[in-house]
Amino acid sequence: MRHPTGYEFLGQPATGAGGGWNMSPDLFARCAHCGEMLSLDPNEMASCSCGGLCKDADAGRFGSRHGDASVAIYRKHS
Ligand SMILES: [Zn+2]
């Protein structure tokens, strides 16, 4: 997988709900299907272009319809 510039690749969520990643404004989840970066800012409700990635800010978690293997977590370089 080619990683976007300006971001540090942290890994992929472990199988299971949430994967243990905390919601944080400097964290991004990348959808392997559409390649869109989705902010994990807990104050923003969002989903990616293809609708595969979705975030439930109220529940403090996110996931992909395509499975955890299609999600990559990044931290934005400051
Ligand atoms: Zn997508």
Side-chain angles (χ1 to χ4, degrees):
M1 188 196 299
R2 215 159 53 102
H3 301 307
T5 52
Y7 294 90
E8 176 191 358
F9 178 59
L10 297 182
Q12 293 181 296
T15 306
W21 298 98
N22 294 322
M23 296 292 238
S24 171
D26 66 340
L27 292 183
F28 288 79
R30 183 174 190 237
C31 175
H33 273 241
C34 65
E36 189 160 301
M37 304 290 281
L38 182 66
S39 167
L40 294 184
D41 188 328
N43 298 312
E44 281 179 34
M45 288 292 283
S47 62
C48 68
S49 299
C50 76
L53 268 182
C54 52
K55 186 171 66 171
D56 186 344
D58 290 335
R61 60 186 182 168
F62 63 95
S64 172
R65 288 182 227 282
H66 308 300
D68 283 346
S70 69
V71 186
I73 305 301
Y74 294 88
R75 185 191 307 279
K76 190 169 187 157
H77 288 303
S78 50

